[in-house]
Amino acid sequence: MLEHTGVLFTYLIAIKDDETDRISVSGINSLQCLLKDFPLRIAELKEEAEGTNPEDILEIYCIFGANPQTKVFMDQIRKVQNLVYNNILTNKDFDYQAFILQNLAEQEKKKCFSEHVAWIITYHTFCFERLYALQQFQFTQADDMLEVCCLGLGLEYEDNRCLWM
């Protein structure tokens, strides 16, 4: 299935300067970078923000495309995240980071773009220094031709930084 045809996957990091109240944005997308390189590129972008107050950083994943395609991606992300959460809840010895890293490595051999994206987001959600709370936002054109699904990575469920979006 060519569920990825016409879909753009993007990671954005926004950093707020408290002195000027300006927000600078950097990012990568699936046209600039191979998916297998996304975790490394994300880590590089996060390094540039080192020393910044975590409350002044907002990270966002965006999926741009037509509604049926973005729905495939969002469903796949929910499926993978639920798989990890269910394993954590049912098995006290479950090594979720090793499980995620193994699945992420296996995605490079597969051809399912939406599944690879789901494991990249799951890796970022669980395997960095913080456990992130995903907050979903959706923007749709009036004619329903283009949809943008965004997942903001907040530090808690009610995170005011997502208002920046």
Side-chain angles (χ1 to χ4, degrees):
M1 178 175 172
L2 296 174
E3 96 287 320
H4 65 281
T5 303
V7 174
L8 179 67
F9 173 55
T10 303
Y11 165 80
L12 302 171
I13 185 167
I15 302 169
K16 182 180 174 189
D17 182 334
D18 284 332
E19 292 177 16
T20 64
D21 244 9
R22 293 182 55 115
I23 297 172
S24 63
V25 180
S26 302
I28 56 173
N29 66 58
S30 57
L31 294 177
Q32 299 171 312
C33 177
L34 297 172
L35 286 184
K36 70 180 182 90
D37 297 330
F38 250 69
L40 177 63
R41 294 291 306 276
I42 289 168
E44 290 170 357
L45 288 171
K46 288 173 71 72
E47 276 181 31
E48 293 175 15
E50 276 186 17
T52 304
N53 180 351
E55 293 177 4
D56 290 334
I57 300 171
L58 176 61
E59 297 172 82
I60 305 167
Y61 282 105
C62 300
I63 299 161
F64 299 84
N67 181 285
Q69 286 90 358
T70 57
K71 183 176 178 348
V72 167
F73 279 75
M74 298 310 292
D75 289 347
Q76 187 68 50
I77 293 164
R78 276 189 219 90
K79 178 182 169 185
V80 167
Q81 296 261 315
N82 285 337
L83 174 68
V84 174
Y85 278 123
N86 287 335
N87 277 306
I88 290 171
L89 294 173
T90 59
N91 181 355
K92 68 179 179 115
D93 297 324
F94 179 64
D95 184 350
Y96 66 89
Q97 289 184 332
F99 179 74
I100 292 168
L101 287 170
Q102 176 186 352
N103 278 283
L104 187 58
E106 289 174 5
Q107 292 311 308
E108 292 178 22
K109 301 171 193 148
K110 295 182 179 179
K111 301 293 185 219
C112 185
F113 188 52
S114 62
E115 190 174 349
H116 198 161
V117 165
W119 282 106
I120 289 171
I121 292 171
T122 301
Y123 169 74
H124 194 168
T125 306
F126 286 89
C127 294
F128 281 93
E129 66 276 359
R130 294 179 175 85
L131 177 64
Y132 290 99
L134 293 177
Q135 298 180 4
Q136 182 177 342
F137 303 89
Q138 228 164 296
F139 305 99
T140 307
Q141 274 184 318
D143 59 6
D144 288 336
M145 292 299 291
L146 177 67
E147 183 171 71
V148 181
C149 292
C150 300
L151 294 168
L153 297 173
L155 297 177
E156 54 191 51
Y157 186 70
E158 295 291 332
D159 194 327
N160 290 333
R161 290 173 303 150
C162 289
L163 294 175
W164 298 357
M165 289 179 55

